[in-house]
Amino acid sequence: MYKQLLSIFLLAITGGLLFNLLHLPLPWTLGPLVITIVWKSALKKTVYWPKKLRNMGMVVLGYMMGSPFTPAVGHHVLQQLPHMLLMSTTLIVLCLATGYVSGRYTGVGLANSLIGSLPGGLSQMSVICEETKGTDVSVVTLMQTVRVITVVFVVPVLALHGITGQMTTAGARLVTPMGSDELPVLLFFLLAILGLIKLAKWVRLANVYVLVPVLGTALLVLAGIHAPVLPSPVIALAQIFVGIRMGSDVDFNSLTNWKTIALVNLLTVLTVIGLLLGTAYAFSLIYPMSFVTAFISMAPGGMSEMGLTALAANADLATVVAYQLFRLLFILLAGVPITKWLILKTLPNRG
């Protein structure tokens, strides 16, 4: 067990170094992710990577994502709530529309195509489909996996090489060294986040390791506590922990028609991304945000991955994380119930 753990960790570091040397986007997330998929699927090797290690990485990344939320930023976010609602609604409509088309071509059924196309996170959608009539966990997981992998590859490339952004204070945070006198403050943040995670588990809050570190850190910063900047190696290590787990969750062998489902879903996700480019450009002309910030904010990817993309592209990190967080909450609180209602209303008529 520990030998497998060490083997995949060393391979993941190698993948990250390779992606970094090739100047590929998000090297310390995508490098470990790809090397893990190759090791597991192509070479048929066993991958052991506990969720606890992934969760440790999510705590670190969540802290990094929540740290830009100063009181001034919080006031700015409150002013943009109508924009967030409009952006989130637009994205959900685009995803559900292309998901419907994907379902017609692949024959996976309406329930699978709609739940599988919702940009609400791989783990959340997998759990939700278990509670939704007419869905298949394997199909939904495959569709969500293709979406996540496509977005975390394509969006950073477009943001970094296709759209020009301007340097922001959020983008400069990674190069600011952390002083030794800030270690006690960092420890306080860590203990506070772990305490909030324990409380969230007690009240049965879903996906605590994604939401709580970001919200907990943001609330402490909004309360006036300065969040120390983490060293770059710590952030890279957190990305490796998360990337390995993402790769280990990918399993295409349980579906006989997975190639068709994956190809059609890939095309629909690319279509959504293309439409988002035009939509984001229009939003950047109407609302006070740059093109690259609007595009990453609307991208149907994970909050951590899009936040890291925002850092690399010199976009406004606080705005990107705020929009991504709002979208996730909006989908879980409104998007999923509405989608379930559509499924329940349609399934009886499909006989």
Side-chain angles (χ1 to χ4, degrees):
M1 181 176 66
Y2 292 106
K3 184 178 179 181
Q4 294 175 358
L5 192 72
L6 180 60
S7 297
I8 194 62
F9 179 64
L10 294 177
L11 285 170
I13 293 177
T14 303
L17 288 171
L18 179 60
F19 271 54
N20 191 46
L21 289 173
L22 295 175
H23 301 288
L24 294 174
L26 304 181
W28 299 108
T29 298
L30 299 184
L33 186 153
V34 170
I35 204 73
T36 302
I37 293 177
V38 173
W39 185 252
K40 176 184 177 182
S41 301
L43 301 179
K44 307 299 181 182
K45 301 291 186 178
T46 301
V47 175
Y48 172 72
W49 196 256
K51 286 185 178 180
K52 288 184 178 180
L53 293 177
R54 188 275 312 273
N55 294 340
M56 289 171 57
M58 293 302 299
V59 168
V60 172
L61 296 180
Y63 168 84
M64 187 185 70
M65 299 306 159
S67 58
F69 277 83
T70 61
V73 172
H75 179 70
H76 179 64
V77 166
L78 287 176
Q79 292 179 327
Q80 295 195 45
L81 281 178
H83 309 163
M84 293 180 181
L85 180 60
L86 181 58
M87 272 190 166
S88 298
T89 304
T90 301
L91 173 60
I92 291 173
V93 170
L94 287 176
C95 289
L96 289 179
T98 55
Y100 174 79
V101 174
S102 174
R104 294 293 298 269
Y105 276 95
T106 59
V108 298
L110 180 66
N112 287 321
S113 63
L114 294 185
I115 297 294
S117 64
L118 275 177
L122 175 60
S123 58
Q124 293 102 321
M125 295 302 105
S126 297
V127 172
I128 288 169
C129 80
E130 294 177 358
E131 306 169 354
T132 305
K133 180 181 178 182
T135 56
D136 185 322
V137 176
S138 298
V139 174
V140 171
T141 300
L142 174 59
M143 292 181 67
Q144 289 287 338
T145 299
V146 171
R147 176 184 63 82
V148 170
I149 292 177
T150 303
V151 170
V152 298
F153 267 104
V154 175
V155 170
V157 171
L158 291 175
L160 296 174
H161 303 292
I163 305 173
T164 302
Q166 295 182 350
M167 187 64 179
T168 64
T169 55
R173 290 176 62 87
L174 286 181
V175 298
T176 305
M178 182 181 68
S180 58
D181 57 328
E182 292 182 311
L183 288 176
V185 181
L186 187 61
L187 180 60
F188 169 76
F189 270 93
L190 176 61
L191 293 176
I193 292 172
L194 293 178
L196 289 172
I197 288 175
K198 188 173 183 180
L199 176 63
K201 287 182 176 180
W202 183 71
V203 299
R204 299 182 183 278
L205 180 67
N207 208 26
V208 296
Y209 288 99
V210 172
L211 298 178
V212 174
V214 178
L215 291 176
T217 302
L219 289 174
L220 290 174
V221 173
L222 287 172
I225 304 175
H226 170 69
V229 179
L230 295 173
S232 296
V234 174
I235 298 174
L237 185 63
Q239 294 177 64
I240 291 173
F241 281 12
V242 173
I244 295 174
R245 184 68 194 192
M246 289 176 64
S248 67
D249 285 338
V250 176
D251 184 11
F252 298 147
N253 297 323
S254 60
L255 296 171
T256 56
N257 62 333
W258 69 266
K259 292 182 180 179
T260 301
I261 298 173
L263 177 60
V264 173
N265 199 49
L266 170 64
L267 295 176
T268 58
V269 174
L270 290 175
T271 300
V272 169
I273 293 175
L275 293 172
L276 286 180
L277 271 173
T279 305
Y281 181 71
F283 269 87
S284 69
L285 297 177
I286 300 172
Y287 300 116
M289 66 174 65
S290 67
F291 181 16
V292 66
T293 297
F295 176 58
I296 301 174
S297 297
M298 295 187 72
M303 185 164 53
S304 298
E305 291 81 11
M306 294 304 99
L308 292 168
T309 301
L311 283 171
N314 300 315
D316 188 335
L317 176 61
T319 298
V320 169
V321 174
Y323 274 72
Q324 290 285 337
L325 179 59
F326 179 85
R327 188 250 303 165
L328 177 60
L329 293 174
F330 183 73
I331 287 176
L332 294 178
L333 296 177
V336 170
I338 292 173
T339 303
K340 284 186 175 182
W341 177 79
L342 289 173
I343 293 171
L344 291 174
K345 183 180 179 180
T346 307
L347 280 178
N349 298 329
R350 291 172 64 88

